[in-house]
Amino acid sequence: MCGRYVATRSPEDLVQLFRVTDWRPEETLAPNWNVAPTDDVWAVIERAPHDERDTGSVRRELRPLRWGLVPSWAKDTKIGSRMINARVETVHDKPAFRRAFVKHRCLLPADGFYEWQQVKAEDTGKTRKQPYFIHPADEQVMALAGLYEYWRDPAVRRDDDPAAWLMTCTVLTTEATDAAGRLHPRMPLALAPDHYGAWLDPHRQDPDELRALLTQPANGHLRARPVSTAVNKTGNNGPQLLDEIAV
């Protein structure tokens, strides 16, 4: 699974990297070295403007979404904390994800992600969970394949009230490869740049064609380094969390 990741790129950088055409400067997120479920995260999406839905026109947006997908049919938002990941093998079939898979796909920019490995102490024999930071060897941004969804808050009366709508997202996971595979059987699926456009395109709605885009996770080439257990507490943050330690 992917339960924690790092996202520190500025929106200005992300706009350039992902060729975003629509970003609201008033929407800001602080760099986050310890992204946890229910945090707001940057997402790249493509959708038609409300007044141009029948023209075929789409624009690429950078938007803050809450991590943990809340399906449109959910009674409340509590389900989101359990919907942070969607397995690539079954995402097209699961009731919580199949609509978003066809209509609402996104990219979630990340510097890397954390995974934990059970380590046994030689002196006591006790086991502990050692965190590792896993990242591209070339330090380029990862574009995690994701889905997003809209949830209508029934407590808000007017549809045109911004508070009426919550946008949430989930990260697709796949079988782990490269450095990640030595630590955990699953990992987030990062798309290669030549698949960005096809994955985001809302006009592509054939499940088989979409699944064909979810292949080798950005061609592997990942590195892993042990980091402090400080990352285990979601309240801890800062670049020091990425410092390598001896194990």
Side-chain angles (χ1 to χ4, degrees), residues 40-158:
D40 283 347
V41 298
W42 287 121
V44 179
I45 67 176
E46 283 189 359
R47 58 181 179 170
H50 288 289
D51 56 352
E52 300 178 23
R53 290 199 181 277
D54 295 328
T55 68
S57 172
V58 297
R59 60 192 182 193
R60 186 170 294 187
E61 304 178 14
L62 182 69
R63 297 296 306 277
L65 309 184
R66 194 172 81 171
W67 185 22
L69 189 138
V70 179
S72 59
W73 43 259
K75 294 182 179 180
D76 56 48
T77 62
K78 294 178 182 178
I79 193 175
S81 62
R82 305 193 304 274
M83 298 287 182
I84 62 170
N85 292 159
R87 294 174 67 95
V88 68
E89 297 89 348
T90 58
V91 65
H92 60 293
D93 286 330
K94 294 293 184 181
F97 302 125
R98 61 191 178 197
R99 176 178 180 272
F101 181 65
V102 171
K103 295 187 175 182
H104 298 149
R105 298 175 301 278
C106 63
L107 297 173
L108 302 170
D111 302 333
F113 59 97
Y114 295 106
E115 197 49 77
W116 283 259
Q117 185 179 54
Q118 295 283 353
V119 177
K120 181 180 289 188
E122 294 183 1
D123 53 347
T124 65
K126 294 183 178 180
T127 60
R128 60 181 176 83
K129 297 178 89 173
Q130 171 60 51
Y132 285 78
F133 177 57
I134 303 169
H135 61 98
D138 59 7
E139 303 295 344
Q140 295 298 307
V141 68
M142 300 180 76
L144 307 184
L147 309 176
Y148 71 96
E149 193 55 277
Y150 301 92
W151 182 77
R152 175 67 167 87
D153 187 346
V156 181
R157 295 183 62 182
R158 293 175 56 91

